[in-house]
Amino acid sequence: MSPVTASLPRAYNRGMNASALWVVLALSASAGSESLSPEQLREASAILDSTWSPFCPGRTLSSCTSGRAAEWRADVRAMVGEGLDREAILARLEARRPDFDLRAVPEASALRMGPWVLGGVFLAILLALVAWAGRHRVAPGPASRPPDDAEARRLRAELEAMES
């Protein structure tokens, strides 16, 4: 715990309102990242974007809103500032939660595009079939004629026989 966050409860009890507390928290969280170079910030962001959060199911550390995830984000930035590489940082994080797989975020690959490509192929085939069917449509046959009087009497007689 940093000295700033350790002194927060005392400062809060002295009458500091909640909004001032949030300002102090935000400033203390960002204070560690000011000393990082842009390259180190990119590296930390890449690690946070590709690491599952054990505190928010289905979210990465960068998108998790948990306070514990915020601590881990600050720790990752500090480790990057110390010069640790990605594998060493992930090893340290995994040591904290050995029961959780932090590395489960899949890397971007062509296989992830497979369903989209397959869907596009099926759509193209469907459109081609519709176009082909439109061009090769069978002309309708001659219009049917209404039954003449003799045929109408015969049909009525058949219906009456079926009803009785």
Side-chain angles (χ1 to χ4, degrees):
M1 188 184 288
S2 73
V4 173
T5 55
S7 64
L8 283 179
R10 278 184 295 161
Y12 188 74
N13 289 334
R14 289 186 199 147
M16 182 183 285
N17 65 24
S19 61
L21 179 65
W22 284 111
V23 169
V24 170
L25 281 172
L27 290 174
S28 67
S30 66
S33 63
E34 290 175 359
S35 62
L36 296 178
S37 70
E39 181 60 36
Q40 289 174 321
L41 286 174
R42 279 191 291 277
E43 176 65 23
S45 291
I47 292 170
L48 294 171
D49 288 342
S50 64
T51 305
W52 283 124
S53 170
F55 314 110
C56 298
R59 301 186 94 176
T60 60
L61 282 174
S62 64
S63 66
C64 180
T65 58
S66 165
R68 297 287 309 270
E71 292 173 14
W72 279 37
R73 287 191 293 269
D75 293 344
V76 166
R77 289 183 190 105
M79 288 182 227
V80 168
E82 292 172 10
L84 294 175
D85 66 343
R86 177 187 193 91
E87 292 303 314
I89 292 171
L90 288 174
R92 282 191 184 181
L93 294 177
E94 286 173 341
R96 293 180 184 179
R97 287 291 302 266
D99 60 319
F100 189 81
D101 185 12
L102 299 171
R103 301 173 191 241
V105 177
E107 295 294 326
S109 69
L111 291 178
R112 293 180 67 193
M113 295 301 293
W116 293 100
V117 171
L118 191 59
V121 168
F122 283 131
L123 182 63
I125 291 171
L126 179 66
L127 289 174
L129 286 173
V130 168
W132 180 83
R135 287 187 191 150
H136 296 89
R137 194 171 74 180
V138 176
S144 63
R145 58 172 177 72
D148 59 358
D149 289 336
E151 192 176 358
R153 280 191 301 268
R154 184 185 57 82
L155 289 173
R156 266 191 229 110
E158 283 181 25
L159 282 174
E160 288 173 3
M162 290 171 74
E163 291 175 355
S164 50

